[in-house]
Amino acid sequence: MVSMPTLPLEGASPAHICPFDQACSYLEAAAKELRLDQGTLEILSHPRKVVTVSIPVKLDNGDIRVLAGHRVQHSDILGPYKGGTRYHPAVTLREVSALAMLMTWKCALLGIPYGGAKGGIAIDPENYSVGELERITRRYTSELIKDIGPSVDIPAPDVGTSAREMAWMMDTYSMNVGHSVPGVVTGKPISIGGSRGREMATGRGVMIIVREALADMGRTLEGVRVVIQGFGNVGGAAAELLYQAGAKILAVSTGAGGVFAPDGLDIPALKAYAAENHRRIVGFPQAVSISNADLLTLPCDVLIPAALENQITEENVDQIQAQIVAEAANGPVTLEANRVLEARGVTVLPDILANAGGVVVSYLEWVQGLSYLFWDEERVNREMEHLMVQAYHQVIKQSQLRQVPLRLAAYTLGVGRVAQAWSDRGLYP
């Protein structure tokens, strides 16, 4: 067993569902399959840099509050660090470290010249005004000013953040260096160098991978019964695109609960309802209410967890009735639950493949920003689809070659490419 890095236990989850422990377990399984030497495994298991900063902020009422912000940079062996910035009450250093590691494998799997990073602040953005969020974001960026940059570490939106926060981050960085730097973040507004197609990218990638998996089963998206946990940026986009392709979306949910219609939801009407009701969907007149827990256990062809990690666990895995589970969120299936699903013959499309559309288009945005040459949405979607389909078929081929499940196949490809790069570059000094 490799000695995994010791991180502060602040906010740690129980061991059986700790995201960092799970990430290390997947790495170890891939290393065993690849027969990596102990030294390489030690290197890959440790983040290169862990940064925690204090964020003093003046609230609208004049009070001062000091928040803690994290940024974990796992590996830059293939290129600059890349990863989202998350604003959520459950953010911990261990969670951020796990997500940074997963980003490393994801980028390597997709053939993108990035390493993995992740950042976050343990706040509920709903509890802060727009002005307070701007001050928090700008101070967080200022504290990280020496650790980010277009050739160093490129943040992006994540849970609780959006193009708005990325605009603040870009402006803060640019003001500090004295000139506009569109390549410092991705997922920003189009008006300041963002990419067309970025908003729908992760959901589009999920749709593409589900489509390819169904094709291998001799099926199309037409009439496929889909259940989606989450109706935000990822789940909402996936629902819209799958609906347009002819799939029957039986249920979707938000943190406040979900809605279910046995004959399928009218997704355009539901999106309009959500827009009119502050993103709430419970109460949609053409459906019945359903809890997030019950939604996961509905009979369906495709289940898409598109919310947070640890949604399918040992407690509910025996109730999962889907034929395909597509991980649109990061780590929505725990390690033990994943083993149960694989043993039952359920096709699990792993997160480092299924939700990679966002980082692919982030990469394309970064390339456009560096070149100051911007593409239309058709080209962005075409380039993204090519990389997603290519990665999917590489994972299928690896799975068949090694006779291993799709998750382990994906990890052997991602981890293997990073390990090869370490071998080729050597260890400095």
Side-chain angles (χ1 to χ4, degrees):
M1 288 279 289
V2 65
S3 59
M4 296 303 177
T6 300
L7 291 169
L9 294 177
E10 160 260 328
S13 304
H16 71 294
I17 58 172
C18 175
F20 186 75
D21 291 344
Q22 288 191 180
C24 290
S25 294
Y26 290 138
L27 167 60
E28 191 170 86
K32 182 178 180 180
E33 180 68 25
L34 293 165
R35 299 181 180 179
L36 296 183
D37 64 84
Q38 189 73 9
T40 300
L41 181 53
E42 286 282 354
I43 290 171
L44 298 182
S45 67
H46 288 73
R48 183 173 179 188
K49 182 182 286 189
V50 178
V51 181
T52 297
V53 297
S54 292
I55 307 169
V57 58
K58 179 177 284 189
L59 303 180
D60 291 342
N61 64 7
D63 291 347
I64 301 294
R65 182 172 298 172
V66 180
L67 307 172
H70 306 299
R71 188 73 182 175
V72 175
Q73 298 169 335
H74 176 257
S75 169
D76 64 348
I77 189 67
L78 294 177
Y81 301 106
K82 187 77 183 79
T85 299
R86 176 173 293 196
Y87 290 178
H88 190 274
V91 165
T92 67
L93 187 55
R94 292 180 71 84
E95 177 196 49
V96 173
S97 298
L99 295 173
M101 183 186 290
L102 294 181
M103 277 296 296
T104 296
W105 318 139
K106 183 185 299 185
C107 293
L109 173 63
L110 271 292
I112 295 172
Y114 281 148
K118 205 74 173 185
I121 306 173
I123 59 170
D124 183 349
E126 296 292 333
N127 295 335
Y128 293 85
S129 70
V130 173
E132 289 168 341
L133 287 172
E134 180 173 359
R135 293 193 290 277
I136 291 168
T137 303
R138 288 184 181 277
R139 185 57 184 256
Y140 174 61
T141 306
S142 296
E143 294 293 339
L144 294 174
I145 207 75
K146 296 180 180 179
D147 296 297
I148 61 174
S151 60
V152 180
D153 184 352
I154 305 107
D158 199 270
V159 175
T161 59
S162 65
R164 180 184 66 183
E165 285 75 17
M166 295 306 104
W168 293 334
M169 293 188 80
M170 177 206 162
D171 182 67
T172 303
Y173 184 88
S174 297
M175 293 300 292
N176 273 269
V177 300
H179 59 90
S180 181
V181 186
V184 68
V185 297
T186 59
K188 55 192 175 295
I190 291 175
S191 63
I192 55 173
S195 177
R196 300 185 187 279
R198 176 62 181 86
E199 186 175 347
M200 301 282 284
T202 306
R204 186 178 298 278
V206 173
M207 181 273 290
I208 289 169
I209 296 302
V210 169
R211 182 197 68 197
E212 295 299 305
L214 287 167
D216 282 347
M217 299 175 181
R219 303 183 64 181
T220 67
L221 288 169
E222 186 69 38
V224 168
R225 300 170 303 154
V226 180
V227 169
I228 304 175
Q229 185 198 40
F231 200 59
N233 183 51
V234 178
E240 181 178 345
L241 294 168
L242 288 164
Y243 178 86
Q244 292 173 0
K248 185 182 292 186
I249 313 300
L250 302 182
V252 300
S253 67
T254 66
V259 290
F260 166 65
D263 294 325
L265 294 163
D266 183 335
I267 296 300
L270 181 59
K271 293 195 78 170
Y273 180 87
E276 295 171 359
N277 291 274
H278 307 286
R279 295 182 289 182
R280 289 181 62 89
I281 59 175
V282 175
F284 181 57
Q286 301 173 35
V288 298
S289 298
I290 188 171
S291 69
N292 269 288
D294 290 339
L295 176 143
L296 291 171
T297 63
L298 288 171
C300 61
D301 300 306
V302 181
L303 173 61
I304 303 177
L308 294 172
E309 64 272 5
N310 300 326
Q311 298 302 301
I312 300 177
T313 68
E314 304 91 296
E315 285 77 31
N316 64 0
V317 66
D318 290 333
Q319 302 172 57
I320 302 301
Q321 301 184 64
Q323 298 172 350
I324 296 174
V325 175
E327 293 186 318
N330 289 310
V333 181
T334 66
L335 182 63
E336 290 302 320
N338 181 75
R339 289 169 178 159
V340 173
L341 291 174
E342 289 176 348
R344 281 172 42 195
V346 176
T347 298
V348 180
L349 301 171
D351 49 7
I352 64 170
L353 172 65
N355 70 18
V359 73
V360 170
V361 177
S362 282
Y363 164 63
L364 299 176
E365 178 181 335
W366 179 68
V367 169
Q368 294 172 75
L370 292 179
S371 65
Y372 290 87
L373 179 63
F374 297 92
W375 308 338
D376 59 28
E377 188 169 349
E378 181 180 356
R379 178 176 177 183
V380 172
N381 291 340
R382 184 173 66 249
E383 297 281 356
M384 186 266 279
E385 180 161 353
H386 169 72
L387 288 173
M388 293 293 292
V389 172
Q390 175 180 268
Y392 172 80
H393 288 291
Q394 289 173 346
V395 170
I396 294 298
K397 183 177 179 180
Q398 183 82 334
S399 174
Q400 295 170 345
L401 180 66
R402 292 184 176 273
Q403 292 296 293
V404 297
L406 296 184
R407 186 186 304 280
L408 183 53
Y411 273 83
T412 57
L413 285 171
V415 172
R417 289 167 181 171
V418 177
Q420 184 62 52
W422 267 111
S423 176
D424 290 340
R425 285 183 56 166
L427 182 60
Y428 177 85

